[in-house]
């Protein structure tokens, strides 16, 4: 009997396959609706709840729970998706079980964290953002999708678009930084790169906007912590990138771990249904973050059954790893606490995604054992990795033009990060292979041979053995040298004394940022600072090269080092890119997308803050400031130097009045006043001087890049329309209000030219 049933369903599937065999893109939504209607008419409630369940297997988990009896559940139709594995072989095995052994033979979705590259790793996302190069970012997402799909995957949990103003939070490394406008443009570029508006191709995959929402605003920069903010702030400052990604066509959205207005996101009906679906028109499916539904019990909003009810009624479609829909869904429907319609809608959305991917036509369309060889680690992707690394690096200081280095001088490279490879691919490089990364030393030796420079380790990455253990438990491979810290420093000092210039290569371990990697002290580790102090005493000029996953507090370093270059964790070709930058084959052009504070006490610190009633005045006591440190950050948003110098003329406005529906053009001349070619990111900010609600002192509204040869200049123009002046008012209406506006244009958010106009 079972055999006959199986045959029946196989023939059903085949007939579906045949009816779908023309080019899927030419087929209408009506075909998809018919197909899904037909399939759902055969599904039991349990099978629908199964589609709404994602199990985890394999290598990477981000929570304590692992799924059990995965193969049995797939056979029983109790899984719609699996996360945590890749490679065609591993995925084929599970897909085959779903297609050959489950009653309805519905193929699985395979999801994975493809965050800044899959096999070929690009700089961490905060570094990619610092390139301000949307085309580059889109190309990296496209390359990542190509490698991921070659490995059997059809879904990435990216882009991560959480706005954040707190560098203590480890996950700042995964996003685009503090600005909603830039974050929105980057979100769009990534969605486009992954999906290319065409899921019928075998090298595009579902993207997933996360973490919806407001996850980056967790209190005290501590992961998973409470979030609380006004809707005015949400709409104007935190929500735009999620909305932009949805409007760019992202197929899925992931809920966040935090609460919003007293309800965890995964049970928050206002967020998931009223805002995301009804207000923004999102038509894809919503997956929770890892075990986020059972975690709602800890949040204190109900027992397991209650939190499942909340989540289903909020409009969540898929439960990542919690298996709560499997456990409680049927009972909730039977008792009438959740409607059958909610389940049908959720199941339908998931089946639609599978249909759009072409999985019903061919469940194995992403699975081809030859593809990884053909598509991964190709010369083009490796070249892209180097290009991205070069463009992500930010020059924070360069006194006396000590950089670029002159290879004819005696140069000492000192520090634990000269040779370490483990950190270069950063956190969330789940399928990345750090052994393939090029260290700085390898990059230098490739270019200059083995005996050209002096080297010394100088310090361990960390001396704090408790911290080292914590990090090594999760694969950090931090070694403590047999030599004592004093010995290491002595050797470094002796090496420095033999050199004309010292390059100190220091920073964090990759695992000091990323998920669940928050810090209250975001300075360089103490032992590394000791090394810098000893090097400083040699009197040699010092270039500090940083490898970090977040902005650090660098006040002492800024006062004492001759140059500082932020290289983030720059990916597979880090060492090659860094060598080119250090020796001036190309000038750095990155600009930071998070403010660098002077100390942690200034946090949260961000450029687009509001004015107080008592704006800072150092000469008056009762103004908004600190006693012990200035309000100004160490390096402002948008800041980054070049080996050349750019000067800005005055802003020329095409008119001083803007009428509704009209445009003004703001033009500025940028000149390369230095001796080298360079690329500058010209930034446009606008201030709404008087509003019906208070408005930020300035907000980014555009940016353009210009490459100039020495002595040359060029004009950069921005068109400003009333659209650029809109904001959400107290009624959360998106409006433009007549009145005075100021335009600012410059190379960062602080050093700007300005001009005024009126909106009629
Ligand atoms: C938890 C993380 O918060 C999320 O970003 C990630 O996509 C999932 N785990 C899956 O690994």
């Amino acid at each position: 009997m079972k055999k006959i049933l199986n045959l029946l369903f196989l023939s059903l599937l085949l007939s579906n396959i045949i009816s779908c065999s023309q080019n899927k893109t030419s087929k209408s939504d009506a075909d998809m609706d018919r197909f899904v209607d037909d399939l759902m008419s055969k599904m039991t409630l349990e099978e629908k709840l199964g589609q709404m369940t994602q199990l985890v297997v394999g290598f990477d988990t981000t929570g304590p729970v692992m799924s059990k009896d995965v193969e049995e559940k797939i056979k029983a139709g109790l899984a719609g998706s699996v996360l945590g594995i890749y490679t065609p072989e591993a995925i084929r095995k599970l897909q085959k079980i779903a297609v050959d052994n489950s009653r309805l033979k519905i193929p699985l979705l395979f999801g994975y964290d493809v965050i800044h590259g899959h096999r070929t790793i690009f700089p961490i996302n905060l570094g990619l953002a610092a390139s301000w190069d949307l085309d580059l970012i889109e190309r990296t997402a496209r390359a990542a999708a190509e490698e991921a799909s070659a490995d059997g995957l059809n879904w990435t949990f990216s882009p991560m678009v959480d706005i954040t103003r707190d560098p203590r939070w480890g996950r700042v490394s995964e996003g685009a930084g503090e600005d909603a406008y830039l974050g929105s443009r980057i979100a769009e570029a990534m969605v486009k790169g992954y999906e290319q508006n065409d899921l019928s191709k075998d090298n595009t995959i579902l993207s997933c906007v996360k973490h919806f929402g407001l996850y980056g605003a967790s209190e005290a920069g501590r992961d998973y912590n409470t979030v609380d903010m006004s809707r005015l702030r949400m709409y104007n400052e935190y929500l735009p990138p999620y909305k932009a990604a949805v409007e760019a066509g992202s197929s899925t959205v992931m809920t966040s771990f935090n609460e919003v207005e007293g309800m965890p996101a995964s049970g928050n009906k206002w967020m998931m249904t009223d805002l995301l679906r009804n207000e923004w028109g999102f038509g894809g499916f919503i997956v929770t973050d890892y075990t986020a539904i059972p975690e709602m019990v800890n949040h204190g909003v109900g027992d397991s059954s209650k939190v499942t009810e909340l989540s289903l009624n909020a409009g969540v479609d898929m439960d990542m790893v919690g298996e709560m829909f499997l456990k409680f869904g049927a009972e909730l429907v039977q008792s009438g606490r959740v409607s059958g319609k909610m389940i049908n809608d959720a199941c339908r959305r998931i089946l639609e995604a599978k249909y759009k991917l072409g999985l019903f036509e061919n469940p194995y369309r992403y699975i081809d054992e030859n593809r990884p060889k053909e598509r991964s680690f190709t010369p083009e992707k490796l070249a892209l990795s180097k290009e991205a690394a070069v463009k992500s690096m930010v020059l924070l200081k360069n006194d006396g033009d000590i950089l670029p280095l002159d290879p004819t001088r005696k140069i000492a490279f000192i520090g634990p990060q000269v040779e370490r490879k483990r950190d270069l691919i950063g956190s969330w490089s789940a399928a990345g292979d750090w052994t393939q990364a090029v260290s700085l030393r390898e990059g230098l030796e490739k270019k200059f041979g083995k005996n050209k420079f002096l080297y010394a380790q100088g310090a361990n990455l960390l001396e704090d053995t408790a911290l080292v253990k914590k990090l090594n438990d999760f694969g950090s491979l931090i070694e403590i040298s047999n030599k004592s810290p004093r010995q290491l420093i002595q050797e470094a000092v002796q090496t420095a004394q033999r050199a004309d210039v010292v390059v100190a290569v220091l920073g964090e371990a990759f695992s000091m940022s990323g998920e669940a990697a928050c810090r209250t002290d975001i300075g360089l580790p103490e032992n590394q600072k000791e090394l810098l102090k000893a090097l400083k005493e040699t009197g040699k000029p010092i270039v500090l090269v940083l490898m970090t996953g977040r902005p650090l507090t660098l006040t002492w370093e800024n006062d004492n080092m001759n140059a500082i270059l932020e290289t983030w964790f720059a990916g597979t070709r880090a060492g090659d890119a860094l060598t080119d930058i250090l020796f001036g084959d190309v000038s750095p052009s990155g600009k930071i997308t998070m403010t660098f504070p002077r100390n942690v006490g200034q946090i949260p610190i961000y450029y687009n803050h509001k004015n107080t009633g008592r704006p800072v005045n150092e000469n008056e006591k009762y103004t908004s400031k600190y006693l012990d440190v200035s309000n100004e950050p160490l390096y402002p948003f948008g800041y980054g130097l070049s080996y050349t110098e750019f000067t800005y003329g005055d802003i020329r406005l095409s008119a001083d009045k803007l009428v509704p529906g009209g445009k003004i053009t703001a033009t500025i001349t940028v000149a390369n006043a230095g001796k080298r070619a360079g690329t500058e990111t010209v930034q446009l900010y606008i201030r709404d001087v008087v509003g019906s609600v208070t408005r930020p002192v300035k907000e980014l509204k555009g940016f353009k890049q210009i490459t100039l040869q020495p002595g040359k200049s060029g004009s950069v123009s921005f068109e400003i329309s009333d659209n650029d002046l809109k904001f959400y008012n107290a009624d959360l209406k998106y409006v433009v209000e007549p009145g005075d506006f100021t335009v600012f244009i410059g190379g960062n958010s602080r050093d700007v030219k300005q001009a005024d106009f009126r909106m009629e």
Side-chain angles (χ1 to χ4, degrees):
M1 182 61 190
K2 213 169 159 196
K3 232 180 182 163
I4 298 175
L5 263 180
N6 273 348
L7 277 175
L8 206 76
F9 285 112
L10 188 64
S11 68
L12 208 154
L13 185 74
L14 275 178
S15 72
N16 286 332
I17 289 171
I18 291 159
S19 76
C20 295
S21 63
Q22 307 119 12
N23 180 357
K24 197 208 101 270
T25 46
S26 68
K27 290 171 72 73
S28 66
D29 284 358
D31 292 322
M32 178 171 76
D33 292 347
R34 258 193 304 279
F35 178 87
V36 175
D37 283 345
D38 184 48
L39 182 54
M40 283 185 60
S41 71
K42 301 178 183 83
M43 293 176 79
T44 63
L45 177 58
E46 279 71 19
E47 283 165 334
K48 290 175 188 166
L49 294 165
Q51 285 304 304
M52 295 163 62
T53 298
Q54 184 179 55
L55 304 178
V56 63
V57 270
F59 334 125
D60 304 295
T61 59
T62 52
V65 180
M66 284 291 284
S67 308
K68 296 203 182 75
D69 306 324
V70 171
E71 295 188 11
E72 291 316 307
K73 283 181 184 135
I74 296 173
K75 276 185 202 156
L78 299 181
S81 172
V82 165
L83 101 126
I85 52 164
Y86 60 91
T87 74
E89 296 78 9
I91 286 182
R92 181 183 292 281
K93 183 173 165 224
L94 294 187
Q95 192 70 303
K96 198 160 169 355
I97 296 174
V99 174
D100 291 354
N101 303 113
S102 73
R103 191 179 80 93
L104 291 174
K105 311 187 180 315
I106 301 173
L108 296 164
L109 287 175
F110 290 92
Y112 204 74
D113 288 286
V114 178
I115 308 297
H116 50 109
H118 177 60
R119 296 296 194 126
T120 307
I121 300 296
F122 304 111
I124 56 166
N125 302 79
L126 192 61
L128 280 174
S131 74
W132 296 62
D133 185 337
L134 300 176
D135 172 66
L136 169 81
I137 292 171
E138 182 180 332
R139 285 185 285 130
T140 63
R142 185 183 289 223
E146 225 167 70
E147 288 191 345
S149 58
D151 258 342
L153 297 165
N154 42 40
W155 186 13
T156 172
F157 304 126
S158 171
M160 187 279 214
V161 305
D162 305 319
I163 294 295
T164 179
R165 295 164 169 179
D166 194 330
R168 291 172 299 181
W169 191 49
R171 302 197 80 169
V172 301
S173 61
E174 279 178 69
E178 74 189 37
D179 186 67
Y181 176 86
L182 179 63
S184 299
R185 302 295 79 78
I186 289 177
E188 290 160 356
M190 292 183 77
V191 169
K192 227 161 115 199
Y194 292 130
E195 301 207 11
Q196 288 177 47
N197 272 326
D198 184 359
L199 292 174
S200 73
K201 293 185 182 166
D202 69 14
N203 61 358
T204 55
I205 56 179
L206 303 173
S207 63
C208 182
V209 188
K210 70 186 188 186
H211 306 81
F212 190 61
L214 321 177
Y215 183 37
S218 60
E219 284 178 1
R222 180 155 51 78
D223 215 353
Y224 318 124
N225 203 8
T226 308
V227 168
D228 195 9
M229 70 172 72
S230 69
R231 289 214 182 169
L232 200 62
R233 173 166 272 186
M234 286 184 209
Y235 273 74
N236 282 311
E237 300 167 38
Y238 280 80
L239 292 176
Y242 305 105
K243 183 164 184 275
V246 165
E247 285 169 357
S250 185
S251 293
T252 71
V253 169
M254 186 186 293
T255 67
S256 54
F257 286 121
N258 55 280
E259 66 170 74
V260 175
E261 299 181 328
M263 176 53 69
S266 302
N268 195 311
K269 179 170 175 301
W270 172 72
M271 287 212 89
M272 299 306 148
T273 297
D274 301 348
L275 180 64
L276 179 59
R277 290 203 185 285
N278 298 343
E279 214 172 299
W280 295 353
F282 175 62
F285 76 84
I286 303 171
V287 63
T288 67
D289 204 341
Y290 203 104
T291 58
I293 303 177
E295 289 173 25
M296 285 164 64
V297 175
N298 285 343
H299 279 274
V301 290
D303 62 11
S304 298
S305 157
K306 178 68 190 175
V307 298
T308 310
E309 175 191 335
L310 285 168
S311 187
L312 286 168
N313 284 334
V316 166
D317 302 307
M318 187 181 277
D319 168 1
M320 183 188 283
V321 186
E323 296 190 33
M324 303 294 269
F325 296 168
L326 286 185
K327 286 182 205 136
F328 300 99
E331 172 197 311
L332 288 168
V333 172
Q334 276 138 20
S335 63
R337 284 157 67 195
V338 171
S339 71
K341 182 174 181 315
M342 291 301 279
I343 306 294
N344 283 340
D345 288 350
C347 177
R348 172 178 296 277
R349 292 182 194 115
I350 292 160
L351 295 176
E352 283 177 357
K354 294 183 178 186
Y355 183 95
K356 288 179 189 158
L357 286 168
L359 291 176
F360 290 109
E361 287 175 56
N362 176 7
Y364 301 102
R365 66 195 308 266
Y366 291 90
I367 308 174
D368 177 337
E369 283 69 6
N370 293 316
R371 277 189 205 147
K373 264 197 293 317
E374 288 160 14
R375 296 188 188 171
S376 298
F377 282 128
T378 59
E380 294 74 26
K381 292 194 176 73
L382 289 168
L384 182 60
S385 171
K386 183 175 170 193
E387 179 190 346
V390 163
K391 290 181 171 170
S392 71
M393 293 179 185
V394 186
L395 184 62
L396 296 172
K397 179 174 179 186
N398 194 20
D399 270 7
D401 288 342
I402 182 174
L403 284 176
L405 298 168
D406 173 355
T408 63
R409 299 183 77 198
K410 255 199 149 72
I411 306 171
F413 288 89
I414 294 175
Q417 289 295 22
V418 175
E419 298 200 18
R420 261 177 77 82
K421 287 171 174 249
R422 180 64 193 93
D423 305 306
L424 298 176
I425 62 172
S427 78
W428 280 124
S429 45
D433 177 358
W434 63 267
T435 64
Q436 305 243 10
V438 181
S439 69
L440 173 57
R441 178 140 189 186
E442 287 170 338
L444 292 168
E445 290 183 348
K446 243 195 258 176
K447 196 167 187 132
F448 296 102
K450 284 217 180 296
N451 302 316
K452 174 93 180 148
F453 304 116
L454 304 168
Y455 296 97
Q457 183 184 330
N460 295 308
L461 198 56
L462 290 166
E463 287 290 342
D464 174 346
T465 47
L467 180 58
V468 169
K469 177 167 182 337
K470 265 190 216 164
L471 300 178
N472 280 352
D473 283 349
F474 289 87
S476 293
L477 304 177
I478 300 168
E479 284 167 12
I480 305 272
S481 165
N482 294 331
K483 298 177 185 165
S484 71
R486 248 187 88 214
Q487 236 177 320
L488 288 172
I489 287 184
Q490 260 166 14
E491 282 175 9
V493 165
Q494 282 157 10
T495 309
Q497 274 155 350
R498 289 164 51 211
D500 303 318
V501 183
V502 174
V503 181
V505 191
L506 304 177
E508 299 182 293
F510 82 93
S511 48
M512 289 163 78
S513 61
E515 187 173 349
C518 304
R519 300 176 63 195
T520 59
D521 175 351
I522 55 169
L524 275 175
E526 268 319 307
N527 64 313
Q528 295 191 34
K529 268 202 187 152
E530 292 302 315
L531 168 66
L532 278 187
K533 284 178 189 154
L535 291 174
K536 166 86 183 163
E537 276 171 23
T538 65
K540 303 284 176 173
I542 308 175
V543 174
L544 173 60
V545 171
L546 291 167
M547 297 189 182
T548 74
R550 58 155 61 76
L552 299 187
T553 45
L554 299 168
T555 303
W556 183 88
E557 291 78 355
N558 185 61
D559 289 344
N560 290 282
M561 300 291 108
N562 302 74
I564 305 179
L565 179 71
E566 173 63 78
T567 72
W568 317 107
F569 296 120
T572 306
R573 299 285 309 276
D576 293 320
L578 184 48
T579 302
D580 280 5
I581 292 260
L582 286 174
F583 288 91
D585 297 27
V586 54
S587 170
S589 57
K591 306 250 189 190
I592 51 175
T593 63
M594 273 193 87
T595 303
F596 276 48
R598 288 175 193 274
N599 64 27
V600 285
Q602 288 186 316
I603 297 170
I605 183 168
Y606 48 97
Y607 83 94
N608 50 348
H609 59 86
K610 305 276 187 78
N611 242 345
T612 68
R614 297 182 178 194
V616 56
N617 177 341
E618 292 302 337
N619 302 321
E620 278 187 39
K621 176 169 171 61
Y622 295 103
T623 63
S624 180
K625 60 182 187 303
Y626 302 103
L627 286 176
D628 53 351
V629 73
S630 117
N631 284 7
E632 290 302 309
L634 188 61
Y635 307 119
F637 174 84
Y639 171 85
L641 303 172
S642 162
Y643 290 157
T644 196
E645 193 200 333
F646 295 103
T647 56
Y648 284 72
D650 288 327
I651 299 176
R652 305 186 297 279
L653 291 181
S654 61
D656 58 6
K657 288 195 178 62
L658 179 60
V659 292
K663 283 192 181 354
I664 295 189
T665 308
T667 305
I668 200 158
T669 302
V670 182
N672 182 344
K675 295 196 185 68
R676 293 170 171 270
T679 297
E680 170 76 330
T681 300
V682 182
Q683 300 156 39
L684 169 82
Y685 297 86
I686 295 182
R687 175 170 187 182
D688 186 350
V689 180
V690 176
S692 59
V693 292
T694 58
R695 307 284 297 120
V697 295
K698 56 169 81 88
E699 289 178 300
L700 184 72
K701 291 293 175 183
F703 56 91
K704 285 189 178 164
Q705 296 190 316
I706 182 168
T707 299
L708 291 170
Q709 297 302 317
K712 299 284 178 210
S713 60
S715 310
V716 177
S717 293
F718 296 95
E719 277 200 339
I720 301 169
S721 74
D722 43 7
N723 225 14
D724 300 307
L725 312 183
K726 284 188 174 160
F727 66 99
Y728 291 92
N729 67 12
D731 300 324
L732 300 181
K733 296 264 175 328
Y734 198 49
V735 296
V736 53
E737 292 178 347
D740 293 336
F741 288 83
T742 306
V743 190
F744 308 88
I745 302 180
N748 64 63
S749 61
R750 181 191 59 201
D751 305 314
V752 285
K753 295 294 172 97
Q754 69 182 72
D756 299 323
F757 71 91
R758 262 190 87 71
M759 173 78 213
E760 296 286 299

